[in-house]
Amino acid sequence: MRLRNITGSKEYIAESPYVVHDIAAHKNGWAEIYGNSNPVYIEIGMGKGQFIITLARNNPDINYVGIEKYSSVLLRAIQKQEELNLPNLKFIRMDAEEICDVFGEGEVDRIYLNFSDPWPKDRHAKRRLESRQFLERYDAILKPDGIIEFKTDNRMLFDFAVDEVKESPKWHMDECTYDLHKDERLMVGNVMTEYEEKFSAIGNPICKYIISR
Ligand code: SAM
């Protein structure tokens, strides 16, 4: 998701108390940021934040961190959080490639990847958030019993993601569906992302996996 550049969004973000700045300084310090040692769930590529904001509202005993690369998109999430002022939700503007600079070993309990950018060219495969290179990064920051949940309507990306799990001996496929919205069991507690609403409304099946080590 890339919105037109919004003038002043970088400056606005730099001033926002809902955004964690100087991210490397907080590695292993998330309990301090939230003032408690509740579990930490992160969404990488959160877009305008609909999914993570809903989760943070519904689960006050979990700390959420929304990660987004683009200022103009992150700005939308900040504006919603300004109205809600949820104490258990923070944002970071960054490229997820640097995720290991932000969270220490085992500091994260769950990672959500929703409707990630597909990077269709083969030579860009390692930029996909579900690539083996990213799985290695997630391995470094997830607790031993941590999980990753991934949803998309992009079948090519999903097939790639499933293959990457198969090729990564550490990871185990706990759940895998090619039509989430028809799966009553996996739909329990499902929170729709903005893209999920948009693509399921035009009839695209939603794929989902849950993986652990
Ligand atoms: N997750 C939201 C949803 O499901 O509605 C937004 C999906 S949108 C297609 C993907 C988002 O991921 C975009 O906002 C994009 O800027 C962000 N993104 C892609 N690659 C990223 C990366 N390496 N680090 C951080 N954000 C990234």
Side-chain angles (χ1 to χ4, degrees):
M1 182 187 301
R2 242 185 126 169
L3 299 178
R4 205 158 21 93
N5 195 34
I6 299 172
T7 313
S9 59
K10 280 203 176 114
E11 293 74 12
Y12 197 88
I13 288 166
E15 302 275 301
S16 174
Y18 300 110
V19 179
V20 175
H21 309 283
D22 191 11
I23 45 181
H26 297 292
K27 188 167 173 172
N28 294 308
W30 286 89
E32 210 177 309
I33 287 179
Y34 287 105
N36 61 56
S37 52
N38 290 342
V40 175
Y41 289 11
I42 70 176
E43 183 186 10
I44 301 178
M46 65 159 182
K48 296 189 229 163
Q50 171 172 315
F51 174 83
I52 198 162
I53 289 170
T54 307
L55 288 185
R57 276 179 103 152
N58 294 348
N59 303 287
D61 294 335
I62 294 171
N63 296 327
Y64 291 91
V65 185
I67 294 167
E68 172 52 51
K69 188 160 62 167
Y70 291 114
S71 305
S72 49
V73 185
L74 172 57
L75 184 65
R76 302 291 187 213
I78 294 173
Q79 287 165 338
K80 290 179 205 155
Q81 168 66 327
E82 281 170 353
E83 284 169 27
L84 298 166
N85 194 18
L86 300 167
N88 59 332
L89 175 62
K90 296 282 182 199
F91 303 120
I92 308 175
R93 195 197 65 74
M94 64 176 272
D95 190 312
E97 283 188 13
E98 295 159 34
I99 197 95
C100 296
D101 297 337
V102 177
F103 298 100
E105 197 184 320
E107 212 175 6
V108 174
D109 293 78
R110 187 172 298 186
I111 299 175
Y112 294 107
L113 307 169
N114 291 317
F115 297 80
S116 313
D117 291 347
W119 292 103
K121 292 187 180 135
D122 283 349
R123 69 187 150 89
H124 290 148
K126 63 172 190 278
R127 297 188 192 171
R128 298 174 193 148
L129 295 177
E130 297 74 25
S131 66
R132 63 195 73 185
Q133 290 82 1
F134 270 98
L135 289 180
E136 272 179 32
R137 295 180 178 114
Y138 305 149
D139 181 39
I141 62 168
L142 258 187
K143 284 207 168 60
D145 61 349
I147 62 167
I148 301 176
E149 298 196 10
F150 168 47
K151 293 194 275 192
T152 184
D153 70 321
N154 186 315
R155 185 59 191 263
M156 271 167 57
L157 178 63
F158 193 69
D159 287 344
F160 166 84
V162 169
D163 285 345
E164 291 296 88
V165 174
K166 286 185 190 151
E167 292 297 320
S168 307
K170 258 187 204 160
W171 293 93
H172 175 263
M173 187 68 69
D174 296 333
E175 302 284 358
C176 183
T177 174
Y178 293 86
D179 199 349
L180 172 66
H181 291 196
K182 292 215 176 98
D183 186 320
E184 271 182 39
R185 187 176 57 86
L186 287 180
M187 273 302 275
V188 174
N190 184 56
V191 170
M192 297 257 259
T193 81
E194 204 176 344
Y195 272 59
E196 186 173 356
E197 277 184 357
K198 194 161 90 179
F199 291 121
S200 59
I202 58 167
N204 293 5
I206 307 301
C207 304
K208 176 173 180 173
Y209 77 37
I210 301 177
I211 62 171
S212 63
R213 286 160 299 174

